[in-house]
Amino acid sequence: MKTALITGVTGQDGSFLAELLLSKGYEVHGIVRRASTFNTDRLDPIYEDPHEPSARLFLHYGDLTDGASLRRILEKVQPDEIYNLGAQSHVRVSFDQAEFTADVVATGTLRVLEAVRDHVEHLHREVKFYQAGSSEMFGAANPPQSETTAFYPRSPYAAAKVAAHWYAVNYREAHGLFICNGILFNHESHRRGETFVTRKITRALARIKMGLQDKLFLGNLDAKRDWGYAGDYVEAMWLMLQHEKPDDYVVATGESYSVREFLDRAAACLDIDWHSVVAQDARYLRPTEVDHLLGDPGKARRVLGWAPKLSFDELVKKMVEHDLELAKQEATLAKAGHHTMLRAVRHG
Ligand code: NAP
Ligand code: GDD
């Protein structure tokens, strides 16, 4: 049985990856940040009581800003594969919390790499490492972007991801470690955080449909993204670590759409005219925007045999259907006098 360790296991991708690895027979260990409220909701479908002899999912408290915790977990778990997905992953927030973002995203990656380097040297074990790189690293570079496109980061988040990317390349070359950088374009799902634009739109339009809110405030509707499905993208992460040679890969669909086009599709699924409910709020604009991301996934297709399965329209429909169901449940609760979910959604 192979053992995997995932940083960021409680996030969108972490939950899909943990599911995928469990389905492949892995023992899965995840690092969870301590919080005053439960932050493991996305793992509910796969949660197992660790006391059960059959349990294969284990969670450990740790933090990418705390190197000692990372080293301790590594010694204890002795993983065959590490997936470094933990991050302050919101681009807009990174302009307000630049130092924190760099500490988690750039230095946090360096902390894990340093721990892995020592672990491999002392125990003479092979550990394969996946680094969650981002299409944001391309920033202002002209589309389409591929593995050979020069990075031009446009936010503290993107600059930190570029640093993490080069740390990873250097540790591969300097210390002979098996490290892959996945350069993933935007990928979404019904588990996407509610402050990213796709989920913000599907959540709000579904609530508008159910009469739970009347307005949706957004920023720049003209930005274009190459949006895929998170469930497909975690498979690419796994495939990279199964290949005989460590390398870097772009993971994308090869199609891009604007935020406006996403709105069109989502509103059509609900039979809503979004023009009457969407308003602009400058707080959602970025000081430096990334206008157009469009990936060339040719290398991942040729070398790994990877291709996205869910289309853009299917993705939008899946997210809308999920959020309409949530809104219906919320409407039922609201009728019974419960208004607990409104605050979280209004400020998303
Ligand atoms: P996400 O939903 O925001 O999840 C981020 C994860 O990192 C969460 O588990 C979060 O914990 C954890 N985390 C945050 N700060 C941490 C810290 N200091 N120490 C340890 N863990 C910490 O992000 P995602 O969409 O799953 O993305 C996964 C990774 O891929 C991230 O590195 C992201 O930057 C990168 N990426 C994402 C996309 C995309 O479109 N989704 C594209 C390219 C790259 P909490 O749950 O406690 O907050
Ligand atoms: N979040 C948000 N909220 N974005 C908005 C809004 C809004 O109200 N209105 C317009 N947008 C625009 C943003 O300006 C951006 O151009 C686009 O929608 C997508 O924004 P996000 O969904 O926040 O994603 P992102 O592209 O900035 O970053 C995501 O993808 C990266 C990969 O390219 C994140 O998941 C990053 O972690 C990831 O690396």
Side-chain angles (χ1 to χ4, degrees), residues 81-286:
E81 297 173 6
I82 298 176
Y83 295 85
N84 185 36
L85 310 185
Q88 188 304 92
S89 73
H90 202 284
V91 174
R92 178 67 193 82
V93 170
S94 78
F95 288 95
D96 300 331
Q97 290 192 277
E99 284 180 39
F100 173 72
T101 302
D103 194 21
V104 177
V105 173
T107 311
T109 301
L110 184 61
R111 289 185 186 102
V112 190
L113 288 170
E114 277 285 85
V116 171
R117 172 190 167 192
D118 289 347
H119 181 79
V120 166
E121 204 173 295
H122 295 151
L123 297 186
H124 306 289
R125 311 179 56 244
E126 187 182 47
V127 179
K128 296 184 175 182
F129 188 95
Y130 171 83
Q131 168 56 20
S134 164
S135 51
E136 273 291 305
M137 300 189 298
F138 294 126
N142 287 332
Q145 296 97 0
S146 74
E147 294 81 1
T148 56
T149 304
F151 298 141
Y152 187 160
R154 297 268 286 171
S155 64
Y157 166 81
K161 281 287 181 189
V162 171
H165 174 95
W166 287 115
Y167 285 141
V169 171
N170 181 249
Y171 275 62
R172 181 169 69 208
E173 294 174 353
H175 306 296
L177 298 174
F178 190 111
I179 298 175
C180 298
N181 283 295
I183 306 176
L184 271 55
F185 282 61
N186 298 49
H187 44 280
E188 318 295 311
S189 73
H190 57 289
R191 291 190 202 152
R192 183 59 142 153
E194 294 181 15
T195 60
F196 296 96
V197 78
T198 55
R199 187 81 199 287
K200 185 172 169 181
I201 290 171
T202 58
R203 269 303 260 140
L205 292 185
R207 296 186 80 248
I208 288 168
K209 179 79 183 173
M210 293 308 299
L212 292 162
Q213 73 183 67
D214 43 26
K215 277 263 177 270
L216 164 60
F217 292 95
L218 292 171
N220 174 18
L221 302 188
D222 296 319
K224 289 184 160 179
R225 291 290 182 273
D226 180 330
W227 276 299
Y229 175 54
D232 292 341
Y233 283 39
V234 296
E235 200 184 347
M237 298 176 187
W238 177 76
L239 283 170
M240 285 179 216
L241 296 198
Q242 310 317 306
H243 196 67
E244 62 202 20
K245 189 173 135 288
D247 207 345
D248 305 330
Y249 299 89
V250 157
V251 177
T253 68
E255 287 177 20
S256 71
Y257 299 89
S258 65
V259 173
R260 194 183 305 277
E261 286 170 307
F262 190 98
L263 261 174
D264 284 337
R265 301 289 215 284
C269 292
L270 291 162
D271 204 15
I272 291 178
D273 174 12
W274 64 260
H275 299 88
S276 56
V277 292
V278 170
Q280 200 185 55
D281 184 336
R283 90 170 83 163
Y284 300 119
L285 298 173
R286 283 126 200 235

Side-chain angles (χ1 to χ4, degrees), residues 31-34 61-67 69-70 73 100 104 111:
I31 299 184
V32 179
R33 300 197 277 177
R34 196 269 160 185
Y61 281 120
D63 200 297
L64 285 161
T65 59
D66 179 19
S69 69
L70 301 172
I73 294 167
F100 173 72
V104 177
R111 289 185 186 102

